[in-house]
Amino acid sequence: MKETTVSVFSAGDAGGNPCTIVEGRRSGEEMIALARTKGHECCLAVRESPRRYAVRFFAPSGEMDMCAHASAAAAWLVGESDGSVTTFTSRGGVVRGFKSGLADVSISQPRGYAEPCDAGPALLALGLSPCELASGAAVVNAASTRAKTLVPIAAIERLQRLDPDPDDVRVACDVLGSTGLYPWVATAPNQIEARQFPRGAGYREDPATGVAAAALFFALGAPQSGLTVDQGRAMGRLSRISVLTDPFGDGCLLSGRVRTVARTEDTRMSAIAS
């Protein structure tokens, strides 16, 4: 049984969102324990055929239906460098992944939606006033797979100063029916700076959130030229996600860099298997 920890959507040697992929079979309880030990999401990948895997996603707080950066991690680890598509099935649906080079990966996400929501709970949790929102933009709940509350802010300096209490974030998300608060700033045409405060993943902030980037892409009308989303700057873990329309479906593609952090093999399990 192999464990590989990678950093996904990395924009530099210190950036990206960590994920540990386990190739083999483990129980859900073992995977949750591993995620708590690691302090980040873990992905269990079981090979069903040469280019098809069943995957499960685990945060320190428990199992999740979908995790985009963990899907990207798995696609990078087990995919072929010739661009061949590998399919990953999970409780959250089917993801297609492919590598475009030694360190580049893309995954599919389904078409998303956005709907108006009450801005009050999100503003209260983030410590923002209505006048600090971007002109002409609204707070919305949006999702491609997992719902996020998107909060458009006018000034990037204000974005980077946010420091919400996790309990306040959880309360706001419970009221709004979302899994995280996603404040963002448009820094240039099709260029976004964002942060993500999850409802209760077991950590305060996320350095790269693929499902939120996909949700924002559709909330902004799926711009033809795509989006580039930078995240994690305030954490010292700068990440970058490129979002484009999926040419083979009605959803989108999330693309970025991946770098290996550590590889281990459970020699005890190998000995038992032999």
Side-chain angles (χ1 to χ4, degrees), residues 140-200:
V140 299
N141 270 0
S144 165
T145 53
R146 303 174 67 219
K148 300 294 180 182
T149 301
L150 312 183
V151 184
I153 299 177
I156 191 169
E157 296 81 10
R158 187 67 180 95
L159 174 75
Q160 304 298 8
R161 293 201 308 272
L162 295 176
D163 187 24
D165 185 287
D167 288 336
D168 293 338
V169 171
R170 177 180 52 78
V171 170
C173 289
D174 285 347
V175 171
L176 294 165
S178 75
T179 63
L181 304 182
Y182 192 68
W184 61 277
V185 173
T187 57
N190 303 314
Q191 178 74 46
I192 302 295
E193 186 88 19
R195 298 177 69 181
Q196 207 261 152
F197 302 100
R199 177 197 173 277

Side-chain angles (χ1 to χ4, degrees), residues 66 68 95 107-111 144-145 210-211 214 218 251-254:
M66 175 57 68
V95 168
I107 61 166
S108 65
Q109 290 287 277
R111 185 168 185 82
S144 165
T145 53
V211 294
F218 290 110
C252 68
L253 295 179
L254 305 179

Side-chain angles (χ1 to χ4, degrees), residues 43-74:
C43 174
L44 181 65
V46 178
R47 187 184 186 194
E48 296 183 322
S49 66
R51 290 183 180 171
R52 189 176 187 89
Y53 285 76
V55 291
R56 295 172 67 185
F57 308 112
F58 300 86
S61 60
E63 188 167 1
M64 303 180 295
D65 288 346
M66 175 57 68
C67 181
H69 87 274
S71 298

Side-chain angles (χ1 to χ4, degrees), residues 70-84:
S71 298
W76 179 83
L77 181 64
V78 305
E80 301 292 338
S81 296
D82 60 2
S84 302

Side-chain angles (χ1 to χ4, degrees), residues 96 245-252:
R96 292 175 289 107
T245 298
D246 186 347
F248 304 106
D250 62 355
C252 68

